[in-house]
Amino acid sequence: MIAIGNDHTGYELKKEVIAYLEEKGLEYKDYGCGECSASDYPEFAHKVGKAIQNKECDKGILICGTGIGISIAANKMKGIRAALCHDCFSAEATRLHNDANILAMGARVIGPGLAIKIVDTFLNTEFSGAERHIHRIQMLEEE
Ligand code: RB5
């Protein structure tokens, strides 16, 4: 199950991502927001992050204007590894190396064509499982 969340700037791109998920027959839960003129990106980062923390969903997609604020908010949550990706190389690498559980994107940065390719790459790349990467991911939870 994929959790999807966005602020007001990400609403249009979210609709494109949902159309892709539906076309592929992938299950998702939409945590908002719907169409609106203003919203606060941390709210949707927290909703999607919680869905992953409580295992309701195994991956998430977050969209704001830049992807920055919404990924910062998600990355403050325990066990969340949100990767801001605007290219397919990063989307593949973050799954292979970081076992990222959330993909963040900026709707003001990239268009829907590239965004969908990034989503496709992110969702279809498995974590490498390499010992060194497991060790580094465990270190992320330490202070
Ligand atoms: C909203 O104007 C904008 O600040 C937000 O979407 C995001 O880009 C923040 O990082």
Side-chain angles (χ1 to χ4, degrees):
M1 182 70 73
I2 299 156
I4 185 158
N6 57 283
D7 74 356
H8 56 293
T9 67
Y11 176 68
E12 292 300 326
L13 182 56
K14 188 258 297 279
K15 286 198 293 185
E16 305 265 2
V17 171
I18 284 178
Y20 159 86
L21 297 176
E22 288 179 350
E23 185 194 311
K24 295 286 175 193
L26 298 170
E27 286 195 306
Y28 66 91
K29 277 193 186 173
D30 184 356
Y31 290 86
C33 64
E35 193 167 19
C36 68
S37 56
S39 63
D40 302 318
Y41 56 80
E43 179 185 340
F44 307 100
H46 294 159
K47 284 180 176 165
V48 166
K50 280 202 182 99
I52 290 171
Q53 284 178 329
N54 66 27
K55 302 196 190 312
E56 229 176 297
C57 296
D58 52 338
K59 289 208 183 71
I61 299 171
L62 287 171
I63 307 169
C64 70
T66 58
I68 297 172
I70 210 157
S71 57
I72 291 173
N75 276 320
K76 289 186 174 291
M77 301 175 74
K78 193 170 170 48
I80 297 302
R81 294 179 299 283
L84 172 57
C85 299
H86 290 133
D87 65 89
C88 293
F89 177 83
S90 302
E92 183 183 41
T94 196
R95 287 291 307 127
L96 288 169
H97 292 210
N98 316 123
D99 196 15
N101 44 21
I102 292 182
L103 167 66
M105 297 184 292
R108 289 173 172 162
V109 182
I110 53 171
L114 177 55
I116 298 306
K117 282 204 179 296
I118 290 168
V119 169
D120 187 69
T121 303
F122 184 83
L123 295 180
N124 289 301
T125 306
E126 293 299 322
F127 175 49
S128 71
E131 205 52 55
R132 68 186 188 284
H133 294 313
I134 293 171
H135 173 64
R136 290 164 191 161
I137 290 166
Q138 283 165 348
M139 287 178 74
L140 293 173
E141 297 294 329
E142 296 164 10
E143 298 221 14

